[in-house]
Amino acid sequence: MGTSPRSVRVEDASLWLPDVRAGETVSLSGTVYTARDAAHKKITALMDAGLPLPFPLEGAFVYYAGPTPAPEGRVCGSFGPTTSGRMDGFAPALYRRGLKGTIGKGGRSREVVDAIRETGGCYLIAVGGAGAFYASKIVKYEEIAFPELGCESVKRLEFRDFPLTVAVDACGNDLFKAMNRD
C-alpha cells in the first residue's frame, strides 16, 4: 500500500523543497499561476524590456495548462496539464529569476533540470487526461494577463490539495531519467 501524499503549501516551498525527492507525491495548496507557450513568449519579452511582469516570479509556481469553459456553478472547466517541453526554452530564465516550481506533464530538457538544481526549485507532474478531476481541486480562478490569448491567458489559481508527483527535485534528481536507466 502506498503512502499518503505529503501536504505542502506554495508559500512554504523553501521549507519543503529541500526534502522532497523525485518520485514522491505531494498534495499542493496555495496560489499558482498558469502560462503556456504564447504567455511565456510575452513574459520573456517583458523581462527582456525590463517591464513589470503579470505576477511576481519570486517563489511562484506555474501550471502549464489552459481550461475549458466553466460549467454553470463551477470555478472552471476541465483543467489538465499540457506538455512541459514546449516551455523548455523559457523555463531556465524564469527559474533563475526566482520561479520555484512548474507543473505539467512529460520530461524536461537537461537545461531545465540544471536550472532547477542550481536554484533549488522543482518540477511537478500531473496526470494527463485527468483535467476534470484537477478542476475540482481549483477553488479560485482569475484571469490576470494577456486576455487576447484566450484559454492560454495568464490566470491566478488557488489550489486545494492538488495531487502531484515530484519529477525533478531540488537536487536535480529526474524521475524520467531514473525510469529510463538500464
Side-chain angles (χ1 to χ4, degrees):
M1 190 101 112
T3 60
S4 296
R6 182 190 308 207
S7 291
V8 296
R9 295 207 44 83
V10 170
E11 299 80 20
D12 299 328
S14 62
L15 300 176
W16 58 266
L17 272 175
D19 297 327
V20 296
R21 291 293 170 254
E24 187 175 343
T25 56
V26 296
S27 179
L28 186 65
S29 297
T31 301
V32 174
Y33 301 91
T34 64
R36 289 178 50 176
D37 321 41
H40 274 72
K41 186 174 181 178
K42 287 179 173 277
I43 290 168
T44 300
L46 291 171
M47 285 173 31
D48 291 346
L51 296 171
L53 302 180
F55 60 92
L57 288 177
E58 190 65 37
F61 277 67
V62 171
Y63 183 30
Y64 301 141
T68 61
E72 190 171 329
R74 302 289 304 259
V75 171
C76 60
S78 183
F79 219 137
T82 196
T83 303
S84 301
R86 296 197 325 254
M87 277 55 76
D88 280 5
F90 305 105
L94 297 178
Y95 276 104
R96 290 182 179 114
R97 288 277 301 265
L99 187 68
K100 273 299 172 198
T102 54
I103 303 163
K105 66 180 182 181
R108 303 308 297 265
S109 69
R110 173 55 38 205
E111 293 79 16
V112 174
V113 173
D114 288 346
I116 290 169
R117 181 183 37 74
E118 290 165 18
T119 62
C122 70
Y123 168 53
L124 307 170
I125 53 173
V127 176
F133 169 73
Y134 287 127
S136 74
K137 301 297 182 178
I138 298 169
V139 297
K140 210 171 184 185
Y141 167 106
E142 175 188 13
E143 183 177 71
I144 61 169
F146 316 133
E148 69 276 10
L149 298 179
C151 75
E152 291 194 37
S153 65
V154 175
K155 292 140 185 87
R156 181 177 25 248
L157 309 174
E158 188 72 25
F159 280 9
R160 183 172 300 141
D161 299 323
F162 201 101
L164 299 159
T165 300
V166 179
V168 179
D169 63 32
C171 297
N173 297 310
D174 184 343
L175 181 64
F176 289 94
K177 295 289 186 238
M179 290 180 350
N180 291 323
R181 286 192 190 128
D182 291 328

